[in-house]
Amino acid sequence: MYGGNNACQRCVVEKSRKRPSLSRFSTLFQIINLTIFVLTIIKFIIPKIMATNMRKLVSFIQVTLDGYFADMNGDISWAHKDNKDAEWDAFVADNASGGGILLFGRITYEMMAGYWPTPYAIGNDPIVAEQMNKLQKVVFSETLDKASWNNTKLVKDGMAAEIRKMKKEPREDIAILGSGSIVSQLAQEGLIDEYQIVVNPVVLGKGRTMFDGIKEKLTKTRTFGNGNVLLCYEPMA
């Protein structure tokens, strides 16, 4: 089953430049945070992979200190922090460029598609919005009837086979944005080549993990003043 946790709410933003209501801020921050980090993958990791003439699949996801990507209800609002960090902000600001293909599960796709094409997103985050709207995207879902976001392909079944086919094509490399359940399924199939994980200084006690039965080796780390730690892993043979 592709779609993730149904308890996660879809982000709906009115197609105007009107500022969203306060009740929507948490979901908007989730969208922006996830987007920024996958653009990090696209800018810094994928060009290095392409230099080897190998098409690889890279996953970006945020987790808690105790290793969960979501709580038991699928909530990821803990990933948003109000505290400012100049180094982190500079890191974020430098990442909205590059190219590649984005993969989503249904939940993450609906959040992104409900925000980035809107006039508010284009006016508030024009560089990131332009990049997200023009990139090629693939959403895996057994329940969606169509994918109307620009440059999006809907795949309803055969996810692992589709990924294997994509990895053989001589085009840009592939990044998974959030979509913890998709990451977990593809990891079990041995299809993910690198994990970009941001560890947040938060403990949930219980939740959902994507690493059951998966072995990885640490390749790089970076620590930020706001408490975030970027960890880069590759699967162990």
Side-chain angles (χ1 to χ4, degrees):
M1 182 173 182
Y2 300 156
N5 193 300
N6 290 332
C8 190
Q9 294 182 349
R10 178 178 181 178
C11 171
V12 178
V13 181
E14 293 181 1
K15 293 188 176 181
S16 70
R17 290 180 181 257
K18 183 179 179 181
R19 187 182 183 88
S21 65
L22 290 174
S23 65
R24 294 175 181 169
F25 276 173
S26 177
T27 304
L28 289 178
F29 281 124
Q30 292 174 39
I31 293 170
I32 293 168
N33 284 343
L34 284 170
T35 301
I36 283 166
F37 283 108
V38 83
L39 293 178
T40 299
I41 296 170
I42 291 170
K43 181 172 183 179
F44 294 108
I45 304 302
I46 284 178
K48 295 178 182 178
I49 294 171
M50 290 181 71
T52 67
N53 296 317
M54 296 175 60
R55 191 177 201 186
K56 293 190 177 181
L57 176 60
V58 181
S59 166
F60 168 81
I61 199 163
Q62 299 200 58
V63 301
T64 62
L65 280 174
D66 44 354
Y68 300 115
F69 69 84
D71 69 13
M72 297 301 292
N73 296 317
D75 180 59
I76 58 172
S77 60
W78 46 265
H80 165 62
K81 291 178 288 298
D82 293 319
N83 53 315
K84 291 291 184 179
D85 171 26
E87 182 184 11
W88 176 262
D89 291 344
F91 174 73
V92 165
D94 194 41
N95 291 337
S97 64
I101 300 175
L102 304 182
L103 301 187
F104 304 95
R106 180 184 61 82
I107 296 297
T108 305
Y109 169 77
E110 288 185 334
M111 290 171 61
M112 299 295 168
Y115 177 68
W116 288 116
T118 65
Y120 176 81
I122 294 168
N124 194 53
D125 301 287
I127 296 175
V128 178
E130 180 184 8
Q131 185 74 352
M132 290 298 294
N133 289 323
K134 76 178 183 181
L135 283 173
Q136 182 179 349
K137 297 168 281 286
V138 178
V139 54
F140 294 101
S141 173
E142 297 172 338
T143 58
L144 280 178
D145 293 324
K146 63 179 181 178
S148 57
W149 191 9
N150 188 44
N151 296 326
T152 301
K153 175 183 177 181
L154 171 62
V155 178
K156 297 181 73 69
D157 54 31
M159 178 174 63
E162 180 70 19
I163 294 297
R164 290 188 177 95
K165 177 182 175 182
M166 291 174 64
K167 292 179 73 171
K168 293 178 181 178
E169 295 171 354
R171 295 158 60 187
E172 297 96 341
D173 286 271
I174 313 161
I176 305 175
L177 179 53
S179 306
S181 63
I182 297 291
V183 173
S184 181
Q185 293 174 68
L186 294 178
Q188 294 292 338
E189 294 282 346
L191 291 171
I192 297 179
D193 299 292
E194 184 168 357
Y195 299 87
Q196 296 279 312
I197 301 169
V198 173
V199 180
N200 286 248
V202 175
V203 174
L204 293 180
K206 61 175 64 176
R208 299 170 59 193
T209 179
M210 62 182 182
F211 291 119
D212 289 338
I214 306 299
K215 296 182 179 180
E216 309 90 14
K217 60 181 178 181
L218 183 66
T219 59
K220 184 175 66 176
T221 68
R222 181 174 177 181
T223 302
F224 296 88
N226 64 359
N228 283 351
V229 178
L230 175 65
L231 304 176
C232 302
Y233 289 88
E234 295 178 355
M236 294 178 64

